[in-house]
Amino acid sequence: MLEKTYSPKDIEARIAAAWEAAEAFRAGRPDRAGADPYCIVIPPPNVTGSLHMGHALNNTLQDVLCRYWRLNGRDVLWQPGTDHAGIATQLVVSRQLAEKQIQMRDLGREKFLEKVWEWKAESGGTIVNQLKRLGASCDWSRERFTMDEGLSKAVVKVFVDLHKAGLIYRDKRLVNWDPEFQSAISDLEVDSLEVKGNLWHFKYPLKDDPTQFITVATTRPETMLGDTAVAVHPDDERYKHLIGKMVVLPLVGREIPIVGDTYSDPEKGSGAVKITPAHDFNDFEVGKRHNLELINIFDASAVVNENAPEAYRGLPRFEARKKVVADLEALGLVEKIEPHTHMVPHAQRGGAVVEPWLTEQWYVDAATLAKPALEAVRKGETRFVPERFAGDYFRWLENIQPWCISRQLWWGHQIPAWYAEDGTIFVAASEAEAQTQADAQFGRAGVALTRDPDVLDTWFSSGLWPFSTLGWPDETPELKRFYPTATLVTGFDIIFFWVARMMMLGLQFMGEKPFSDVVIHGLVRDDKGRKMSKTLGNVVDPLGLIDEFGADALRFALVAQASQGSDVKFARSRVEGYRNFATKLWNAARFAEMNECRRVEGFDPRAVKTTLAKWIVGETAKAVAETAAAIESYKYNEAAGAAYRFVWNIFCDWFLEFAKPIFTGTDEAAKAEVRAATAWTLDQILKLLHPFMPFITEELWTVTGEAGPARASVLALADWPALDGLVDPEAEAEIGWLVDAISAIRSVRAEMNVAPATQMPLVLVSPSDKTTAVSGRYGDLLNRLARLSGISSAGEAPAGAVQLVVRGETLALPMAGLIDVAAERTRLTKALKEAEGDIARCDGKLNNANFMARAAEDVIAEQHEKRAEAVERKASIETALLRLTALG
C-alpha cells in the first residue's frame, strides 16, 4: 500500500541498497552474455572533489543513457573511477600537515607519499558516495583509481613505448610555472583574471645615436632585464627604417636588434614591443623566428637570478619591477605610465601569479599523435554532438604544440627515467631494466643511477582511461568486449585536455578510436546566466537540493534543460517544480491503487476494446517512441519534455479524468478493462521515466508489483516497452477531439477573462454525425471539464458567440452577459502594447551590432527566447481581440 505522501528521503537509501543487492549495475551479468555491449567511461572526478552542479549534470546525462540502454537489454558497463589530481591532492595534504606545523619538504618524499595514501584511504573518494546518492548506476565493483597498480602499469608502458618510438623527449621550452608550488602546470590549471595595473612606456636608445629612442610599452617592466630584441610591424611606416638597427638595453647595456615581425600591432601601445623570449609565450615564438637568444632571469621562485645585472639579483619579481621602474625614471627613460586593465594568469590552486618560465621538461610529440586523431573525426569514426564542437577539436589539434607532461611534484606517477652521472638518460619499465641498460652502455656493472624526481601530468594517465580501466596492457575479457566504448559525455572545456588526448593515445595503443560519439554539454549557470562562483555567492550545492527535494527532482530539472551543447540556466524553483511532478506521479499511482487498478497477468494492450483504453495505449506508444528517439539522438531536453507531457498532461490530466466515470459506473466489463489498462500504462510510465527519475520509479515498481503477478526483476533490469503498432486512429480521433475541444474552450475562457465559476453554453454548429455521437457519449465530461451549462446543436452560430474550429468541427460559445466587452477590449489593448514593447526592446538589442559583438552566447539566446515568448503572447492577444470584434 502506498504511503499518502511521497518522501524521497525515506526511499532513496533503501532503493540504492536494493540495486546493490540485485547487482543491477554489474557488467557481464550471465543473463546478458549474448547481449550487445554498451560502455561509457566516467570522466574521473578528482579524488579531492565533492559533488558540484557540473558533476550533477554530467553524471545525470550519462546515467540516462546507461539506464536506457540497460532497459533495452544491452550489457552496460558504466566504468567509474577517480583521478589522483596531482597538484590538488598534494596541496590538500601539505596544508593538513602545515596545520600540524609539519613542512612537506622536511618530511621527505617517501614519508609524504605515505601521508597522501593515508588521506586517500580515509577521506579520498567522498565524491563516489555522493554520485551514488545522485543515483549513478555505475558498476561500482569495477571502480578504478589512476594511481592503482593496474593503471600505473599502463602509464609506465605508454611512457616507455612512446619514448622508444621517439614520441617522448626532453626539451627546453616555456611552460606555465607556478613559483609558489614550483612546478609546471597545465593551461587548465591556470585562471586568467582581470587585474588593474599599468602600461609603462620605456625609451630604448639607438646604438648609432643615443639621443634617438624607440619607445616600447609593457605591463611587465621587470622582464626587460631579459629582453633580446624590439619588434615592430614590417609595414609600420614609423619604424620601417629602423629594422635591422640595434638599441642599447637600458640598465643592462646589452645591444639588441630591432626586428620586423607581424606580432607587433601598430594599433596597440607605441607599436613597438620588447621581446623577452624566455618569459612570454608569444615572445618565445618571435624569438624562434628571428633566432634570438633566450635569457632566463628568474629562478624557480620567480626571484631574479645571476643572468640579470647585480643590482637586481635576489629580488622577488614584483620588487624587481619597482626598482626597474624607479631606475629608469632616474635615467629619464620613462615616457609615460598609463593605468591599464589586463588579464593576468593565476594558478587555480593556491592563486600565485603564473610565470612563463624557460625550463627543461619532458614533452610528447603531440603533432604526430594528432594526425590519426584528426583523421578519425574527419572520417566520421568518432562524431561530436553537437557537430559544431568538432570545429574546436580540429582547431586545437591542427595547431597543437608539444605537450609538456612533467610536473615538479611528489604525488603522481613518477617518470620512469634514470640518469647516469654524465647525464645519460635510461627510460625503462623498472629500475632493474634501467640498470641493465646502463651497465650495458658503460660496459661495467653497478653504474650509479638517479631517478628523475618529476611526476607525470595527470592528463597523461587520464588520457589512457578508456582502455587502462579495462585492464590494458593485459588482454582482458573486458578490454575485448567493451573497447571501443560507445559514448563519451563531457564538457566543452576539456575537449582539448582530455578528449583529444584519449583519441591520440587510444589510436596509438589500441589501433582504434576510444569512443564512437562525443556528447558535449554546457555549463550549469545561475538563473541569471552567470557562471557559478564563490565570489558571486551563487554556487548551488546539489547535495542540499537532494536532501530537500530528492535526487529525482534535481536530475529531472537538469535533464529537462540540457539542450544540446547549451548552458543550463539553473533555478531552485525548477527543482521544486519537478518535485511536484514526482508527487503528481505518486498521487496518480495512489489514485490507481484506490480504484483497484491492478496488473493483470497476460494483459494484451492490442486486444482492448474500450475506446478510452485504446486511446491511452496508443498515446503511451507514441510517448515511448518519442522519448526513445530523443534519448538515442542525445536530445535530453526533448526526451524529458516528451515523458513529462505524457505523464502530467495525457495520463494524469486527461486519461484519469476520463476514467473516473467508468470507475464509478455500472459497466463492469469496461471498468475491468480500463482498470487493467491503467495499471499497464502506469508500468510503462515507470519504465519511461526510470532513466530520468530512478528512485521513485523503482519504489513504485516495487509497491505496485505487490498487488499483481510477481515482478521478474528490479525495474533497473526490466525491459523497455516494445509498443509498435498500438496507435488506434479511430480512438485517437474520438478522444483526441474531446481533449482538443475542452482545451480550446478553456483557452477562450482564459483569453476572454471568463470567471472560473461561470458556466457557459456550447453550441455545435452543423455537427457531423460522429461529433454529435461523441458529444452525446461524453456530454457529462464536457460539461464538467469545460464548465458548460449545456450542449446543443444549431445550423448556424448564435449572435454574439465566439466561434472555434476543432478538428474541422465548428463550436460556438455564446458570450452575451458573460463578459464586459468594452473592459476586455481595454485590458487586451494594454496587454498588446506591452507585448509589442517587449518585442521592440529585444529587437533593439538583437539588431545592435555592438551588443551582438560583446554579449555572451547565452545572453543572446535569452533575448531570442524573450522575443519568441512576446511574439507568442502578442499573437494570442490579437486572436482574443478579433474574437471580441466578432462579438460586436
Side-chain angles (χ1 to χ4, degrees):
M1 185 74 180
L2 282 169
E3 296 292 334
K4 183 176 181 180
T5 305
Y6 166 58
S7 176
K9 66 176 181 294
D10 293 334
I11 70 168
E12 288 179 356
R14 174 161 44 79
I15 291 300
W19 287 330
E20 188 172 350
E23 296 186 332
F25 311 144
R26 184 182 286 274
R29 292 171 55 90
D31 58 342
R32 306 214 171 185
D36 290 336
Y38 182 84
C39 182
I40 288 182
V41 291
I42 200 169
N46 287 354
V47 71
T48 57
S50 60
L51 194 72
H52 57 61
M53 291 303 293
H55 290 132
L57 172 64
N58 178 263
N59 287 280
T60 297
L61 297 183
Q62 292 175 79
D63 196 45
V64 167
L65 294 173
C66 289
R67 288 184 183 272
Y68 171 76
W69 287 114
R70 197 178 285 116
L71 290 170
N72 275 277
R74 302 281 284 272
D75 183 11
V76 173
L77 169 58
W78 186 8
Q79 175 62 55
T82 50
D83 190 281
H84 62 281
I87 287 181
T89 303
Q90 185 158 319
L91 192 61
V92 166
V93 178
S94 61
R95 283 176 174 172
Q96 288 176 347
L97 292 170
E99 289 174 2
K100 301 174 183 176
Q101 280 72 53
I102 301 172
Q103 295 304 310
M104 186 183 88
R105 302 286 169 186
D106 296 339
L107 198 62
R109 183 172 192 144
E110 190 174 331
K111 291 290 185 185
F112 175 74
L113 291 179
E114 287 178 9
K115 295 293 183 185
V116 178
W117 281 108
E118 286 174 14
W119 172 85
K120 197 268 178 185
E122 293 170 12
S123 308
T126 297
I127 194 169
V128 167
N129 291 324
Q130 294 171 337
L131 287 170
K132 290 179 180 178
R133 284 202 64 196
L134 185 68
S137 62
C138 300
D139 184 347
W140 297 107
S141 68
R142 294 185 51 83
E143 185 183 341
R144 304 303 300 268
F145 177 53
T146 48
M147 288 280 287
D148 71 29
E149 186 178 347
L151 269 66
S152 296
K153 178 181 175 183
V155 167
V156 169
K157 178 170 174 56
V158 167
F159 187 97
V160 172
D161 287 0
L162 288 177
H163 181 267
K164 194 177 293 183
L167 296 171
I168 282 183
Y169 57 91
R170 294 274 285 173
D171 196 10
K172 200 165 190 177
R173 296 175 59 90
L174 283 192
V175 297
N176 292 312
W177 185 261
D178 183 336
E180 289 186 14
F181 227 78
Q182 297 201 7
S183 175
I185 58 177
S186 75
D187 289 344
L188 199 65
E189 293 159 329
V190 176
D191 288 332
S192 289
L193 305 178
E194 192 172 78
V195 172
K196 291 182 178 179
N198 291 312
L199 187 65
W200 286 270
H201 293 252
F202 297 149
K203 296 188 290 187
Y204 285 15
L206 297 179
K207 177 193 173 186
D208 294 344
D209 183 358
T211 65
Q212 299 296 311
F213 304 92
I214 187 168
T215 300
V216 300
T218 181
T219 59
R220 304 187 65 213
E222 67 280 8
T223 64
M224 70 162 289
L225 303 173
D227 285 1
T228 56
V230 171
V232 298
H233 196 283
D235 298 328
D236 192 331
E237 294 296 334
R238 295 171 295 174
Y239 302 121
K240 282 175 78 171
H241 67 288
L242 296 177
I243 294 173
K245 294 185 179 294
M246 305 293 283
V247 298
V248 178
L249 183 62
L251 307 181
V252 179
R254 187 168 61 248
E255 296 178 7
I256 60 177
I258 298 174
V259 299
D261 197 283
T262 54
Y263 167 62
S264 179
D265 185 349
E267 303 298 321
K268 288 185 179 178
S270 66
V273 291
K274 56 189 282 306
I275 301 298
T276 321
H279 295 288
D280 182 278
F281 287 102
N282 291 314
D283 291 6
F284 181 79
E285 296 302 320
V286 175
K288 283 200 299 185
R289 288 195 287 273
H290 297 277
N291 199 27
L292 300 176
E293 186 181 4
L294 285 78
I295 301 175
N296 190 348
I297 61 159
F298 294 134
D299 66 12
S301 300
V303 170
V304 179
N305 65 19
E306 70 282 356
N307 293 329
E310 189 172 350
Y312 306 96
R313 293 173 191 169
L315 291 178
R317 54 186 164 167
F318 299 124
E319 288 185 29
R321 174 179 295 180
K322 293 175 184 176
K323 182 167 175 56
V324 163
V325 173
D327 290 351
L328 287 171
E329 285 180 325
L331 293 171
L333 296 177
V334 179
E335 185 174 282
K336 61 179 177 178
I337 303 173
E338 298 175 312
H340 182 67
T341 300
H342 60 127
M343 304 304 287
V344 176
H346 288 70
Q348 205 172 64
R349 312 284 179 180
V353 174
V354 171
E355 189 67 45
W357 197 50
L358 186 64
T359 178
E360 194 168 31
Q361 302 281 349
W362 288 94
Y363 287 88
V364 170
D365 180 358
T368 298
L369 291 177
K371 290 173 184 174
L374 282 163
E375 197 62 20
V377 176
R378 288 194 183 110
K379 287 181 176 177
E381 294 170 6
T382 294
R383 67 177 184 130
F384 279 81
V385 181
E387 190 178 352
R388 71 177 185 272
F389 287 105
D392 294 335
Y393 177 85
F394 290 140
R395 186 166 56 255
W396 282 321
L397 265 65
E398 285 164 357
N399 298 283
I400 199 166
Q401 297 295 309
W403 172 16
C404 176
I405 55 171
S406 45
R407 299 289 182 267
Q408 289 63 55
L409 306 172
W410 286 351
W411 173 243
H413 295 101
Q414 191 170 353
I415 289 173
W418 286 261
Y419 300 86
E421 290 179 355
D422 68 351
T424 304
I425 304 173
F426 299 94
V427 171
S430 66
E431 185 171 6
E433 285 185 28
Q435 190 69 59
T436 300
Q437 291 178 19
D439 292 352
Q441 173 97 0
F442 288 95
R444 57 186 169 84
V447 173
L449 294 176
T450 303
R451 187 167 185 179
D452 193 313
D454 291 353
V455 300
L456 287 162
D457 176 13
T458 55
W459 295 106
F460 189 89
S461 51
S462 59
L464 316 180
W465 193 247
F467 54 96
S468 63
T469 53
L470 298 176
W472 188 90
D474 296 335
E475 295 182 7
T476 63
E478 293 87 355
L479 188 66
K480 184 177 180 181
R481 179 158 177 75
F482 292 107
Y483 190 94
T485 67
T487 309
L488 179 77
V489 180
T490 190
F492 66 85
D493 53 334
I494 55 174
I495 291 175
F496 174 68
F497 291 96
W498 192 45
V499 178
R501 286 161 184 178
M502 287 189 288
M503 287 289 289
M504 291 190 289
L505 293 168
L507 287 160
Q508 176 73 16
F509 286 93
M510 297 299 295
E512 193 173 0
K513 57 32 180 1
F515 23 72
S516 299
D517 292 341
V518 180
V519 180
I520 302 296
H521 60 76
L523 299 174
V524 182
R525 298 181 178 272
D526 71 9
D527 57 352
K528 296 181 178 65
R530 301 173 302 176
K531 191 172 181 178
M532 290 187 182
S533 71
K534 291 179 182 177
T535 306
L536 291 174
N538 61 349
V539 175
V540 178
D541 177 15
L543 295 167
L545 292 171
I546 291 173
D547 287 339
E548 187 170 1
F549 300 114
D552 291 327
L554 173 61
R555 288 167 61 108
F556 209 97
L558 291 167
V559 177
Q561 293 184 86
S563 177
Q564 282 190 355
S566 299
D567 290 344
V568 171
K569 274 190 181 178
F570 186 83
R572 171 191 170 88
S573 59
R574 287 185 175 270
V575 186
E576 187 173 6
Y578 290 116
R579 189 273 313 274
N580 296 342
F581 176 52
T583 299
K584 183 91 168 177
L585 174 64
W586 187 269
N587 290 342
R590 285 191 75 244
F591 175 83
E593 184 180 65
M594 289 187 292
N595 282 279
E596 302 178 43
C597 301
R598 302 185 183 91
R599 293 182 307 116
V600 174
E601 184 80 58
F603 176 80
D604 182 1
R606 288 170 173 78
V608 293
K609 296 180 176 61
T610 312
T611 301
L612 185 61
K614 288 180 180 179
W615 176 75
I616 195 58
V617 162
E619 292 299 312
T620 304
K622 287 194 284 188
V624 167
E626 187 180 352
T627 304
I631 292 175
E632 291 181 24
S633 57
Y634 308 114
K635 295 176 180 176
Y636 294 100
N637 60 320
E638 292 181 15
Y644 181 94
R645 286 190 301 274
F646 173 68
V647 174
W648 190 295
N649 301 121
I650 302 296
F651 182 70
C652 294
D653 286 354
W654 295 115
F655 173 73
L656 293 182
E657 281 297 328
F658 291 175
K660 284 178 182 177
I662 297 175
F663 291 156
T664 57
T666 57
D667 187 336
E668 295 301 323
K671 187 184 300 185
E673 184 170 88
V674 173
R675 281 173 171 170
T678 303
W680 174 87
T681 303
L682 189 57
D683 265 11
Q684 312 319 304
I685 284 172
L686 299 181
K687 295 174 184 179
L688 183 71
L689 285 177
H690 183 72
F692 313 106
M693 308 179 86
F695 290 104
I696 187 173
T697 52
E698 190 73 69
E699 173 72 0
L700 288 173
W701 182 262
T702 302
V703 177
T704 57
E706 293 169 357
R711 300 284 195 195
S713 68
V714 292
L715 176 57
L717 292 172
D719 295 325
W720 182 259
L723 306 179
D724 293 341
L726 289 182
V727 176
D728 186 302
E730 290 187 9
E732 196 286 324
E734 183 167 310
I735 304 298
W737 182 87
L738 198 61
V739 168
D740 291 352
I742 296 168
S743 299
I745 295 167
R746 287 174 172 176
S747 179
V748 168
R749 293 178 66 102
E751 288 173 4
M752 298 287 103
N753 210 22
V754 176
T758 302
Q759 292 187 322
M760 57 199 306
L762 170 65
V763 178
L764 304 176
V765 180
S766 301
S768 65
D769 292 342
K770 184 177 288 187
T771 298
T772 301
V774 170
S775 64
R777 278 197 296 275
Y778 299 100
D780 290 344
L781 268 178
L782 270 168
N783 287 332
R784 177 166 61 88
L785 298 178
R787 295 187 181 276
L788 302 176
S789 57
I791 304 168
S792 62
S793 298
E796 58 183 31
V802 170
Q803 295 185 56
L804 309 169
V805 178
V806 176
R807 299 199 179 195
E809 298 286 338
T810 301
L811 282 63
L813 296 169
M815 306 295 287
L818 297 180
I819 61 171
D820 183 332
V821 173
E824 281 307 300
R825 184 174 285 110
T826 300
R827 180 182 70 84
L828 290 168
T829 301
K830 180 182 177 184
L832 181 62
K833 288 180 179 178
E834 289 175 357
E836 289 172 340
D838 290 342
I839 294 169
R841 277 187 289 275
C842 291
D843 285 343
K845 290 182 178 179
L846 294 172
N847 294 328
N848 184 318
N850 189 40
F851 171 81
M852 295 298 286
R854 297 175 59 186
E857 187 177 324
D858 60 299
V859 174
I860 294 171
E862 182 181 16
Q863 289 301 314
H864 281 294
E865 287 173 14
K866 284 183 177 178
R867 187 184 190 284
E869 185 276 329
V871 168
E872 187 176 343
R873 185 159 28 100
K874 178 174 178 279
S876 177
I877 296 166
E878 287 173 337
T879 300
L881 282 167
L882 284 172
R883 286 174 173 156
L884 280 179
T885 302
L887 294 178

